[in-house]
Amino acid sequence: GQSLEQPSEVTAVEGAIVQINCTYQTSGFYGLSWYQQHDGGAPTFLSYNALDGLEETGRFSSFLSRSDSYGYLLLQELQMKDSASYFCALVGATNKLIFGTGTLLAVQP
Amino acid sequence: DSGVTQTPKHLITATGQRVTLRCSPRSGDLSVYWYQQSLDQGLQFLIQYYNGEERAKGNILERFSAQQFPDLHSELNLSSLELGDSALYFCASSVEASGGSYEQYFGPGTRLTVT
């Protein structure tokens, strides 16, 4: 089967940089996506890595290493509104998402 | 606003009952996905439809079924409900159903409470 592990909680200070890690086990996938979910809200797309390396989108960057079965999401210049849950997800052949366990990010002033 | 609509927003029902959740995808999106989010199971993929046909199946119970209609809206039917079915059910849509079109747009969800 497929599984993805993330730290359950991360705390950081406003203005700082935080990295959320994701390790996975799978026999095959197209890419690794990241989604943000505010409490009780809909997940929203943040980033996608089809290839190894770093993808940058504004304050957010995401990294993938297929050889290490590892990825991370990097959030820079943290703002209070970044407090949310973050999910990594394996993108399958049909575009279905297999989500990780989720990381609750708390940004403190 | 993602453009994906789901109804109802909240649903409270008793064990043993049957409910139908409805989803309208973004205009132009052909693929619809259903996900279940609960505290103990996290966010789980249930089933996917593309242009009216079932495309992929995940951890969907036999008591659950879904379909996508010619106008591309989708319905998720949950029957013989159990307490453990209480969860947030999300519908998402995307343009394609291949690994290259990666971004999914999620609806606001339907919160189901089984008492």
Side-chain angles (χ1 to χ4, degrees):
Chain A
Q2 297 174 305
S3 65
L4 302 93
E5 290 293 325
Q6 301 177 235
S8 57
E9 290 184 32
V10 172
T11 301
V13 177
E14 202 174 8
I17 299 173
V18 72
Q19 179 173 313
I20 299 174
N21 297 320
C22 172
T23 57
Y24 59 84
Q25 291 185 334
T26 181
S27 56
F29 69 111
Y30 272 75
L32 188 71
S33 281
W34 288 89
Y35 283 78
Q36 178 192 60
Q37 184 183 32
H38 284 97
D39 191 29
T44 55
F45 172 80
L46 291 177
S47 187
Y48 174 72
N49 292 74
L51 304 173
D52 282 7
L54 195 66
E55 291 285 340
E56 297 181 70
T57 311
R59 294 189 297 115
F60 295 166
S61 302
S62 58
F63 173 83
L64 174 63
S65 168
R66 287 175 181 264
S67 60
D68 295 322
S69 298
Y70 165 74
Y72 66 73
L73 180 70
L74 194 72
L75 297 84
Q76 302 182 72
E77 300 171 16
L78 279 174
Q79 302 174 10
M80 297 298 292
K81 68 178 183 180
D82 297 329
S83 292
S85 290
Y86 292 83
F87 294 87
C88 58
L90 292 171
V91 180
T94 66
N95 205 30
K96 70 180 185 185
L97 298 173
I98 304 300
F99 282 96
T101 50
T103 299
L104 182 61
L105 171 64
V107 180
Q108 297 179 340
Chain B
D1 185 356
S2 68
V4 178
T5 60
Q6 289 187 248
T7 55
K9 195 174 174 72
H10 300 278
L11 200 48
I12 301 174
T13 188
T15 54
Q17 296 298 304
R18 173 190 168 94
V19 297
T20 297
L21 313 184
R22 183 189 167 101
C23 166
S24 292
R26 285 190 328 153
S27 176
D29 285 358
L30 299 177
S31 197
V32 168
Y33 313 77
W34 287 97
Y35 296 90
Q36 178 195 58
Q37 186 172 33
S38 60
L39 283 174
D40 54 341
Q41 299 288 334
L43 254 173
Q44 284 206 67
F45 168 71
L46 294 178
I47 196 163
Q48 175 192 4
Y49 280 82
Y50 177 75
N51 205 19
E53 306 262 334
E54 183 184 302
R55 182 58 67 97
K57 221 166 186 176
N59 299 322
I60 188 166
L61 299 171
E62 283 192 16
R63 301 184 285 109
F64 296 1
S65 65
Q67 54 184 324
Q68 185 179 28
F69 295 87
D71 67 352
L72 300 178
H73 91 271
S74 179
E75 292 181 356
L76 180 67
N77 301 296
L78 315 176
S79 61
S80 303
L81 285 168
E82 301 175 0
L83 294 177
D85 298 327
S86 295
L88 196 47
Y89 290 85
F90 287 107
C91 166
S93 72
S94 67
V95 174
E96 299 282 344
S98 65
S101 60
Y102 46 83
E103 185 170 354
Q104 291 186 22
Y105 298 85
F106 281 74
T110 293
R111 183 168 294 281
L112 173 66
T113 303
V114 182
T115 62

